Amino acid sequence: MLRIQDLFCTINNTPVLKGLNLNVKAGEVHAIMGPNGSGKSTLASVIAGDDKYDVTNGNVEFLNKNIIDLAPELRAAMGVFLSFQYPVEIPGVSVSNFIKIAVNEKRKQNGLEPMSSTDLLQEMKKNLELLKMDSSFLSRYLNDGFSGGEKKRNEIFQMSMLKPKLAILDETDSGLDIDALKIVANGVNSLRSSENAFVIITHYQRLLNYIKPDYVHILADGAIVKSAGPELALELEKKGYEGIIK
Amino acid sequence: MHLEHVDVEKVLLYNLIFMLEKDEKKIIKEVTEAEYKYGFVSNFDTDTISPGLNEDIIKTISKKKKEPDWMLKKRLEAFEVLKTLKQPEWANVEYPDIDLQNIIYYSAPKKKVQLNSLDEADPELLKTFTRLGISIEEQKRLAGVAVDVVIDSVSVSTSFKEKLSELGIIFCSMSEAIEKHPELIKKYLGSVVPAKDNYFAALNAAVFSDGSFCFIPKGTHCPMELSTYFRINEAGTGQFERTLIVAEEQSYVSYLEGCTAPQRDENQLHAAVVELVALDSAEIKYSTVQNWYPGDKNGVGGVYNFVTKRGVAHKNAKISWTQVETGSAITWKYPSCILKGDDSVGEFFSIAVTKNHQQADTGTKMIHMGKRTKSTIISKGISAGKSNSSYRGLVKINRNAENSRNFSQCDSLLMGDKCGAHTFPYINVNNKNSIVEHEATTSKIGEDQLFYCNQRGIGEKEAIALIVNGYCKEVLQRLPMEFAVEAKNLLEITLEDSVG
Ligand SMILES: Nc1ncnc2c1ncn2[C@@H]1O[C@H](COP(=O)(O)OP(=O)(O)O)[C@@H](O)[C@H]1O
Ligand SMILES: [Mg+2]
């Protein structure tokens, strides 16, 4: 599904990713862990198509298509979703209106009729329940005055509405209490299927207790330095990055 | 008569579509090149007098309009006042002195058109309406909107007049009002904005050629939005219209004004005066969507929009100004409320957009005179390109206006880094039990906001529209339904390509 080969990128001429490789197949869950500043969010942004970053070498293939030059909204239409580490606020734009536009823009790109407001609302209600969110969420302005936890839940809510093929969760667990963490994990798990894949960026083993990864990678200084099964996250918890990256 | 189809959804006046490019530099460049859609010139036969300003010209205008002597007298008095005044210099805008002798003060379509009988209408005029997006057929379908169109100087027609007159509501051109309702005009014209108020008010009082008059009798709720469109067409003409709205006790009216002008290299002057009188417990809602030609990307041409708008609210009355200002090379305008009666309320909701070389100096004045008077000011400035926009607001609470309140919120949104936004609040409170609150914010449309939208599948163009509309929400919500869509579209058009 996602195939990244020898990826190098810079921001403001500062190299960040330095020869990164990653393969994600449909149905898989990959966890990416790594020290602060190692390039995890950069990787997520580059996959999503943020042109703040200059890709200087390498390839990003999604669904067998090279997407390096594709606009982010078109990648989204193909099924890429990023749950932001720091979701932005858009005052005056309600969550429901935003999701309605997002869902219908994606449908339009895929040659589908827009979803009726009634259908949309029903779908929203269903997903809100799943995420144990109050329906008053819908009329609030996007992330405006949301607590950290609310912002993260709102990301997962949008994910559940957009049903991506590839979802990248960038530290979605940071700032969540244990109950919220379970709810979010539950939301992710209910979406899991053999058709889609997840890349989960996290610092903590605890999320991985609820969302079982197939692979754990360690990203350090712009490249993946170690890949293994779920046991790597446990080892990391004990030894810290220092103990694993020499 | 066949009229080109106009899509009402994309509404009435403004429906440019804007294209956004990913490349930020390109975006900045394109905003400067976004074109004005209403720049066409119509070629109907006009009756135009030679340029210049003197007593004879004023007499000619008055004569052409077949005005009574008292009106001519009022004009000449105003002209005397004008001679004693200077053009204002204090606004935060720059422009060359305007030579009043180069302006044509009267130009009218020769044929007077009754829009109720479309078949007799001048085809050029109909074409103009269609290009403006106000096809009459669409208008009629848009039930609940009565329209008065002022092209250059003369009010061309009024529809829905009969329906209104059954309720005792008068809605007609100023010329007609002078002829048919002299007692009302004598009583109220100039009562809120006297000629001596300022330079442009004096000029207007001396040479105004037409405008709208609206009278709502006691206890009457005007059942439809009243609306006037202004358009400057003839080259070298100034537009000096005069609007007077009188709402008697316990009455209500909502009024909308829209404006466009052809694209010309010279600067055209628009110096209007609007007076509102809200008697005890009356409510007047006045909305403006202003899209005069702003000049080209190099700052050549465009309309100078110097407008005096003021309302007096008597006991328990309410006056509410809502404006969406996107056009004009220079805008200088402060719709104001004089809260004369106890418990009266004044509101000002404004969106002012500037781009390219546009300059806007706009805001409001709230003068609290009565006890327990309340005012609210919400101003949303959006600057793009090399433009400059200033908010200038005066809140004055007189000594006797006890227990009065004001809340002001002035937000600025910057697009790109060559534009500027300035806020000048003047607060003057003369008693101890009144409360004045002022909040101001400045923000930028962020690349991160845009990318967030993009990531959710929302393209650049829609994303900007979404963010800007969200930013302006509080004000857009105030506009009458029919025009909220129009204003939203206009914003999108105007801000086309403005992110940097
Ligand atoms: N605008 C920027 N200019 C220069 N360097 C940046 C910029 N943004 C991020 N970086 C650098 O890129 C590196 C990777 O950042 P990031 O991907 O956010 O790390 P992580 O998510 O792993 O904590 C960091 O060293 C950071 O300092
Ligand atoms: Mg990060």
Side-chain angles (χ1 to χ4, degrees):
Chain A
M1 174 169 292
L2 177 72
R3 193 184 180 85
I4 300 177
Q5 283 174 313
D6 203 24
L7 185 66
F8 284 77
C9 85
T10 61
I11 180 162
N12 299 332
N13 298 320
T14 311
V16 183
L17 298 183
K18 304 163 186 170
L20 187 136
N21 295 288
L22 183 68
N23 262 317
V24 178
K25 295 204 187 71
E28 292 176 350
V29 174
H30 292 240
I32 295 183
M33 307 177 87
N36 291 326
S38 57
K40 302 183 295 297
S41 294
T42 303
L43 172 64
S45 304
V46 170
I47 298 171
D50 191 345
D51 64 4
K52 222 168 43 203
Y53 301 89
D54 295 315
V55 173
T56 48
N57 185 61
N59 254 334
V60 179
E61 275 176 32
F62 178 60
L63 302 174
N64 300 318
K65 185 176 166 174
N66 186 352
I67 57 168
I68 279 293
D69 293 320
L70 206 62
E73 60 271 23
L74 298 179
R75 300 185 196 197
M78 286 175 74
V80 175
F81 179 91
L82 170 58
S83 168
F84 285 81
Q85 184 176 0
Y86 305 109
V88 302
E89 301 179 0
I90 309 185
V93 178
S94 68
V95 170
S96 56
N97 191 32
F98 184 77
I99 291 182
K100 181 179 165 187
I101 293 170
V103 167
N104 285 332
E105 285 292 311
K106 182 172 174 180
R107 292 177 69 89
K108 193 163 96 190
Q109 278 299 330
N110 290 300
L112 297 169
E113 291 290 305
M115 210 163 155
S116 79
S117 295
T118 352
D119 289 352
L120 260 169
L121 205 62
Q122 252 169 16
E123 183 79 15
M124 288 188 204
K125 290 243 164 86
K126 199 183 83 197
N127 287 316
L128 282 174
E129 262 167 45
L130 186 72
L131 295 168
K132 298 205 165 57
M133 290 160 75
D134 195 87
S135 60
S136 64
F137 235 77
L138 294 179
S139 49
R140 289 175 69 184
Y141 293 150
L142 195 77
N143 294 323
D144 191 13
F146 282 26
S147 72
E150 283 174 330
K151 285 184 184 172
K152 297 298 175 72
R153 272 199 223 197
N154 185 28
E155 294 291 282
I156 298 303
F157 174 46
Q158 293 179 50
M159 180 182 82
S160 67
M161 288 300 298
L162 290 164
K163 303 194 174 36
K165 294 213 169 65
L166 173 69
I168 306 159
L169 275 51
D170 191 357
E171 296 200 29
T172 302
D173 53 336
S174 300
L176 290 186
D177 60 41
I178 192 74
D179 296 338
L181 188 79
K182 280 188 199 166
I183 293 165
V184 163
N186 188 29
V188 171
N189 287 328
S190 71
L191 207 68
R192 275 179 79 164
S193 79
S194 57
E195 311 276 288
N196 57 24
F198 290 83
V199 173
I200 296 175
I201 297 170
T202 180
H203 282 299
Y204 307 106
Q205 156 64 26
R206 59 173 199 166
L207 177 66
L208 305 179
N209 287 333
Y210 302 104
I211 309 172
K212 281 267 168 287
D214 300 296
Y215 300 93
V216 175
H217 309 275
I218 293 173
L219 204 163
D221 194 22
I224 285 177
V225 293
K226 190 162 183 167
S227 300
E231 69 284 355
L232 181 58
L234 291 164
E235 190 188 341
L236 193 66
E237 194 96 318
K238 282 197 210 104
K239 298 187 187 162
Y241 295 116
E242 291 283 329
I244 289 180
I245 321 158
K246 282 169 284 301
Chain B
M1 168 133 325
H2 176 76
L3 292 167
E4 265 173 59
H5 177 70
V6 177
D7 185 349
V8 183
E9 268 284 286
K10 292 207 162 152
V11 178
L12 306 183
L13 281 186
Y14 321 98
N15 56 355
L16 301 184
I17 297 301
F18 64 93
M19 287 303 302
L20 272 176
E21 290 287 344
K22 280 244 48 185
D23 183 346
E24 156 186 346
K25 303 235 170 56
K26 217 166 168 185
I27 289 169
I28 291 178
K29 195 164 151 263
E30 278 189 10
V31 81
T32 24
E33 287 169 5
E35 286 193 14
Y36 185 74
K37 201 188 176 181
Y38 303 97
F40 57 85
V41 177
S42 306
N43 302 312
F44 27 72
D45 242 359
T46 54
D47 178 8
T48 303
I49 61 176
S50 50
L53 180 61
N54 53 50
E55 259 191 48
D56 285 340
I57 290 280
I58 292 170
K59 284 179 184 158
T60 308
I61 294 170
S62 190
K63 198 166 157 202
K64 280 202 183 279
K65 301 180 71 60
K66 304 195 184 66
E67 285 178 353
D69 284 348
W70 59 266
M71 193 65 236
L72 175 62
K73 207 170 139 240
K74 266 186 179 243
R75 288 180 182 276
L76 293 172
E77 282 165 12
F79 184 54
E80 287 309 310
V81 172
L82 177 67
K83 287 187 204 160
T84 69
L85 298 172
K86 275 207 188 110
Q87 293 188 24
E89 275 168 21
W90 54 276
N92 198 29
V93 295
E94 285 172 29
Y95 62 96
D97 258 9
I98 297 162
D99 186 351
L100 296 185
Q101 301 307 333
N102 277 336
I103 293 171
I104 296 170
Y105 290 90
Y106 186 86
S107 164
K110 261 188 191 143
K111 237 194 269 178
K112 185 129 193 184
V113 187
Q114 281 302 320
L115 295 189
N116 337 16
S117 53
L118 283 181
D119 295 344
E120 295 158 24
D122 183 339
E124 270 295 323
L125 184 66
L126 285 176
K127 235 192 262 168
T128 301
F129 288 143
T130 310
R131 278 149 121 181
L132 280 168
I134 343 171
S135 90
I136 309 313
E137 291 183 350
E138 296 289 354
Q139 278 302 337
K140 284 184 175 161
R141 246 179 279 149
L142 256 180
V145 185
V147 182
D148 191 21
V149 181
V150 177
I151 291 203
D152 286 341
S153 309
V154 166
S155 167
V156 191
S157 142
T158 308
S159 41
F160 290 97
K161 223 187 266 181
E162 277 165 36
K163 204 165 159 188
L164 293 171
S165 71
E166 281 167 24
L167 294 165
I169 294 170
I170 302 167
F171 178 43
C172 64
S173 69
M174 189 53 82
S175 317
E176 192 181 328
I178 290 167
E179 186 193 328
K180 294 192 181 149
H181 310 284
E183 61 307 329
L184 288 173
I185 300 302
K186 276 187 204 166
K187 183 168 176 192
Y188 290 111
L189 191 73
S191 70
V192 185
V193 181
K196 62 173 190 291
D197 190 81
N198 68 67
Y199 183 83
F200 295 109
L203 177 63
N204 178 289
V207 304
F208 78 87
S209 24
D210 214 332
S212 295
F213 173 65
C214 170
F215 175 84
I216 317 292
K218 195 168 169 173
T220 306
H221 185 104
C222 183
M224 57 182 83
E225 310 281 346
L226 301 184
S227 169
T228 301
Y229 284 90
F230 295 110
R231 176 162 176 81
I232 303 177
N233 186 54
E234 197 69 14
T237 49
Q239 171 111 11
F240 307 95
E241 85 273 355
R242 182 107 202 171
T243 302
L244 173 62
I245 299 177
V246 179
E248 283 198 332
E249 291 83 352
Q250 287 109 36
S251 68
Y252 168 85
V253 63
S254 168
Y255 185 92
L256 187 121
E257 164 207 306
C259 344
T260 55
Q263 202 159 331
R264 296 187 188 284
D265 290 344
E266 81 222 57
N267 291 103
Q268 285 173 293
L269 177 62
H270 174 243
V273 171
V274 176
E275 297 175 281
L276 310 183
V277 179
L279 297 181
D280 293 2
S281 301
E283 179 174 351
I284 301 176
K285 225 181 131 176
Y286 192 104
S287 316
T288 308
V289 176
Q290 185 264 111
N291 187 24
W292 295 117
Y293 178 53
D296 70 8
K297 61 182 174 184
N298 299 315
V300 176
V303 171
Y304 289 167
N305 191 31
F306 300 133
V307 175
T308 308
K309 291 184 166 173
R310 191 178 303 150
V312 175
H314 291 260
K315 223 181 261 173
N316 207 29
K318 180 172 173 183
I319 287 179
S320 183
W321 299 100
T322 305
Q323 57 173 28
V324 178
E325 302 277 323
T326 64
S328 299
I330 300 175
T331 296
W332 177 90
K333 131 175 198 195
Y334 316 91
S336 309
C337 297
I338 298 172
L339 303 174
K340 192 172 170 191
D342 292 349
D343 302 292
S344 56
V345 176
E347 294 178 333
F348 174 75
F349 300 100
S350 168
I351 299 170
V353 184
T354 52
K355 61 176 190 180
N356 298 345
H357 292 261
Q358 276 178 288
Q359 304 178 67
D361 196 296
T362 178
T364 184
K365 293 178 199 163
M366 294 288 174
I367 314 292
H368 293 250
M369 294 166 70
K371 295 185 184 28
R372 299 172 303 276
T373 45
K374 266 196 285 194
S375 63
T376 304
I377 298 170
I378 309 281
S379 160
K380 301 275 179 179
I382 302 168
S383 316
K386 292 178 187 149
S387 68
N388 253 301
S389 128
S390 303
Y391 166 82
R392 196 183 295 279
L394 169 69
V395 176
K396 185 171 182 202
I397 297 189
N398 288 356
R399 198 160 54 86
N400 294 329
E402 287 167 16
N403 295 299
S404 292
R405 297 198 65 141
N406 160 267
F407 174 75
S408 305
Q409 184 189 323
C410 303
D411 298 329
S412 312
L413 186 69
L414 303 177
M415 302 175 110
D417 45 20
K418 293 199 186 77
C419 51
H422 319 272
T423 302
F424 304 100
Y426 303 92
I427 297 166
N428 182 347
V429 183
N430 297 295
N431 63 49
K432 290 213 166 68
N433 44 34
S434 292
I435 302 170
V436 173
E437 292 169 86
H438 179 91
E439 290 174 8
T441 65
T442 300
S443 51
K444 262 187 109 163
I445 282 204
E447 288 290 310
D448 49 346
Q449 275 179 327
L450 282 177
F451 179 65
Y452 187 89
C453 294
N454 296 160
Q455 204 300 306
R456 298 296 138 90
I458 304 169
E460 210 85 25
K461 173 182 133 186
E462 289 81 11
I464 291 184
L466 197 67
I467 295 165
V468 168
N469 278 317
Y471 168 77
C472 297
K473 188 110 180 183
E474 285 161 284
V475 177
L476 288 174
Q477 276 170 344
R478 300 279 161 174
L479 287 173
M481 259 296 280
E482 296 89 333
F483 300 106
V485 184
E486 174 182 345
K488 260 174 136 165
N489 288 342
L490 178 57
L491 276 178
E492 291 172 18
I493 299 154
T494 310
L495 287 174
E496 165 169 331
D497 328 327
S498 301
V499 173

